[in-house]
Amino acid sequence: MSKLFRAVILGPPGSGKGTISERVANSFGLKHLSSGDFLRENIAAKTEAGVLAKTYIEKGALVPDHVMTRLMLSRLEEMTRHSWLLDGFPRTLAQAKVLNSAFELDVVISLNIPLETLKERLRHRWIHPASGRVYNMCFNPPRVQGVDDISGEPLIQHEDDRPEALVARLRHYKDVAKPVIDLYRAKGILHMFSDTETDRIWPYISSLLSTKIPTDLGDAQRVRTH
Ligand SMILES: Nc1nc2c(ncn2[C@@H]2O[C@H](COP(=O)(O)OP(=O)(O)OP(=O)(O)O)[C@@H](O)[C@H]2O)c(=O)[nH]1
Ligand SMILES: Nc1ncnc2c1ncn2[C@@H]1O[C@H](COP(=O)(O)OP(=O)(O)O)[C@@H](O)[C@H]1O
């Protein structure tokens, strides 16, 4: 069997993790696992972890490490024969250490986007709460203003995407993420990308992954998860 490829994408809210992960999944045929989407699926299915996670997410808090690691590792254990890219996990040093002890990562992508750009993007971000689908009124607007493309239901803005909440949220992210970034830098697998535009970052990520991902991977599992 060909060697599997394991990667993580890190970056503050609004940095484009979800957008880039979709492109990676489409271009390289690996599975994209978003912690936020996975939590929302668990909440919708009312699983034990989902019911618990909901109480934290509603308060704008992180889900506790032990809940998050149990949830994500059990999902990853179902995917042992697949290459994957994790988005939104690990978020804390404790989570990174647990992931480390279970899997060897090949590449960590870290998105370094200026604060002003993040503020501008999140100000224009609208979501469809039931599915987690994300729009940007400038970058990728819905077909009909204010309405989800698939369900036709109304879009809303995250309370914490509003400018007043944003700066505190981004500062908090930085504090929590720094030790995670340092850990991966020390392991020699960190690749940092800085720009204001996803479309300018993407070619660099694409060529990096082309050199790292075994060539027969695409044929073996050109499967999309969603
Ligand atoms: N203007 C602009 N918007 C972008 C660009 N890349 C992504 N976006 C938009 O910025 C917003 C954030 O992008 P996401 O891909 O959701 O970012 P994320 O890092 O996954 O964000 P979180 O889910 O909060 O962690 C979305 O509304 C995207 O459509 C870009 O290069 N330019
Ligand atoms: N790795 C994680 N550890 C703890 N909580 C998490 C993690 N990933 C996601 N969450 C929780 O789920 C929520 C939604 O996650 P996400 O869709 O990534 O959006 P955002 O991080 O932009 O709020 C987070 O605000 C947080 O409460």
Side-chain angles (χ1 to χ4, degrees):
M1 192 167 61
S2 65
K3 187 189 175 302
L4 296 168
F5 181 76
R6 266 75 199 261
V8 162
I9 185 163
L10 303 174
S15 57
K17 297 183 298 293
T19 306
I20 290 172
S21 298
E22 278 299 310
R23 293 188 189 182
V24 171
N26 287 337
S27 300
F28 294 96
L30 42 77
K31 297 219 180 210
H32 166 210
L33 183 56
S34 148
S35 61
D37 288 351
F38 191 47
L39 283 168
R40 283 182 283 272
E41 279 168 33
N42 273 272
I43 291 170
K46 297 193 166 63
T47 66
E48 197 184 326
V51 170
L52 188 55
K54 187 165 188 260
T55 61
Y56 291 91
I57 295 174
E58 277 173 351
K59 287 185 290 194
L62 288 181
V63 176
D65 287 333
H66 68 280
V67 178
M68 207 60 218
T69 48
R70 187 148 27 92
L71 189 68
M72 293 299 283
L73 286 195
S74 65
R75 180 74 184 99
L76 292 176
E77 263 142 35
E78 294 164 10
M79 292 169 40
T80 48
R81 297 177 54 181
H82 292 277
S83 292
W84 40 248
L85 171 67
L86 303 183
D87 152 19
F89 179 90
R91 189 131 163 180
T92 65
L93 185 59
Q95 293 177 12
K97 286 181 170 167
V98 172
L99 180 64
N100 242 350
S101 62
F103 295 96
E104 194 179 336
L105 298 177
D106 298 290
V107 166
V108 175
I109 295 166
S110 172
L111 302 176
N112 185 22
I113 312 296
L115 180 66
E116 281 309 312
T117 307
L118 298 175
K119 283 204 266 186
E120 191 57 23
R121 281 184 194 173
L122 295 182
R123 211 159 60 78
H124 294 291
R125 176 160 74 174
W126 288 78
I127 60 157
H128 175 240
S131 68
R133 270 186 291 279
V134 177
Y135 298 89
N136 181 290
M137 289 311 164
C138 312
F139 183 67
N140 67 332
R143 282 198 286 273
V144 178
Q145 170 93 28
V147 174
D148 178 48
D149 285 351
I150 294 179
S151 67
E153 289 167 356
L155 301 176
I156 62 149
Q157 251 194 317
H158 261 313
E159 214 33 67
D160 56 1
D161 278 352
R162 292 177 201 278
E164 316 80 64
L166 260 180
V167 176
R169 183 158 155 240
L170 293 171
R171 188 173 307 126
H172 174 71
Y173 168 84
K174 254 193 169 157
D175 293 342
V176 175
K178 187 168 183 309
V180 179
I181 291 174
D182 290 345
L183 174 82
Y184 291 135
R185 187 180 289 116
K187 286 174 79 68
I189 54 173
L190 186 75
H191 297 261
M192 183 92 90
F193 298 89
S194 308
D195 205 298
T196 56
E197 290 298 326
T198 297
D199 286 346
R200 278 205 294 265
I201 289 178
W202 170 243
Y204 292 96
I205 294 183
S206 176
S207 65
L208 168 75
L209 296 184
S210 306
T211 66
K212 303 269 182 193
I213 294 182
T215 48
D216 57 341
L217 176 65
D219 305 329
Q221 38 165 111
R222 200 163 285 284
V223 179
R224 289 201 53 201
T225 46
H226 55 257

